[in-house]
Amino acid sequence: MHLVISCNLKPHSRTRILARQTFDVLCEWNEPVDLVDLQDYASALERDDAEDPEIQELSAKIAAADSVLLATPIYHFDVGSTTKHLIELTTKAWKHKVVGILGTAAGRRNYMALTGLANSLMLEFHCLIVPYFVVATPESFDGDVLTGQRALRRIDDLTRTASQWAAAAAAMRGSRQIRRSH
């Protein structure tokens, strides 16, 4: 199962539109997918307690997912603090995940802002980072619709690769369990 997470707490954010588009692409391909909007968990994130039942629910969803696709706003060449806070509160759930990263930013040069998050997930949690970052700028949207062809193509590349890698990782986990049982 894929888990798409919208990491923006603003009610009408482009990040949410980007996450929804990613979710819709996976649904069109009949991939099992769930969409989490962190706005629904704002009070739990504010309580800042990893033992909070809502945070535990988020941790369980992340742990159960074969891949996690994070849609995050980019501010001042870094990912939004809500994204970082989510990872801090759900630390144990991230180990060995396939992770794709999507960002909304003021300009295309902001794509490098996603590398810090990718490095952290890769080095600390041994995540497999899908090498297709998606960065959508204001020009990528027409109102509440993602219309930018570059961003749409990158979402296809990211979701296709995440699906393939998640299947391969699941097969590898299964073969290790078989070997250990002998």
Side-chain angles (χ1 to χ4, degrees), residues 2 19 23 47 66-67 86 98 109 118-119 136 145 158-159:
H2 305 282
F23 174 81
R47 286 190 292 271
D66 296 313
S67 78
L86 167 70
V98 172
R109 285 189 225 135
N119 287 338
V145 179
L158 179 132
T159 52

Side-chain angles (χ1 to χ4, degrees), residues 67-101:
S67 78
V68 179
L69 305 175
L70 287 169
T72 180
I74 299 171
Y75 302 114
H76 306 288
F77 296 95
D78 203 357
V79 297
S81 61
T82 303
T83 306
K84 295 176 189 178
H85 196 53
L86 167 70
I87 294 166
E88 289 170 0
L89 290 173
T90 58
T91 307
K92 294 174 184 169
W94 291 93
K95 194 143 183 95
H96 299 123
K97 289 290 164 200
V98 172
V99 178
I101 307 172

Side-chain angles (χ1 to χ4, degrees), residues 3-78:
L3 181 64
V4 179
I5 304 176
S6 173
C7 298
N8 196 324
L9 300 181
K10 293 180 183 174
H12 302 289
S13 73
R14 291 185 179 119
T15 305
R16 185 168 291 102
I17 296 167
L18 190 61
R20 185 68 194 190
Q21 179 68 36
T22 304
F23 174 81
D24 290 346
V25 165
L26 288 163
C27 286
E28 286 172 19
W29 295 346
N30 294 317
E31 291 279 342
V33 60
D34 190 13
L35 176 63
V36 168
D37 188 338
L38 289 187
Q39 188 178 19
D40 297 336
Y41 295 88
S43 57
L45 291 165
E46 193 174 292
R47 286 190 292 271
D48 194 29
D49 179 8
E51 301 304 317
D52 183 286
E54 289 182 274
I55 299 299
Q56 290 293 307
E57 177 186 319
L58 275 173
S59 285
K61 286 183 179 198
I62 293 166
D66 296 313
S67 78
V68 179
L69 305 175
L70 287 169
T72 180
I74 299 171
Y75 302 114
H76 306 288
F77 296 95
D78 203 357

Side-chain angles (χ1 to χ4, degrees), residues 14-15 18 72-75 103-111 113 134-141:
R14 291 185 179 119
T15 305
L18 190 61
T72 180
I74 299 171
Y75 302 114
T104 52
R108 284 186 43 202
R109 285 189 225 135
N110 284 298
Y111 75 93
V134 177
V135 176
T137 61
E139 297 80 28
S140 303
F141 297 89

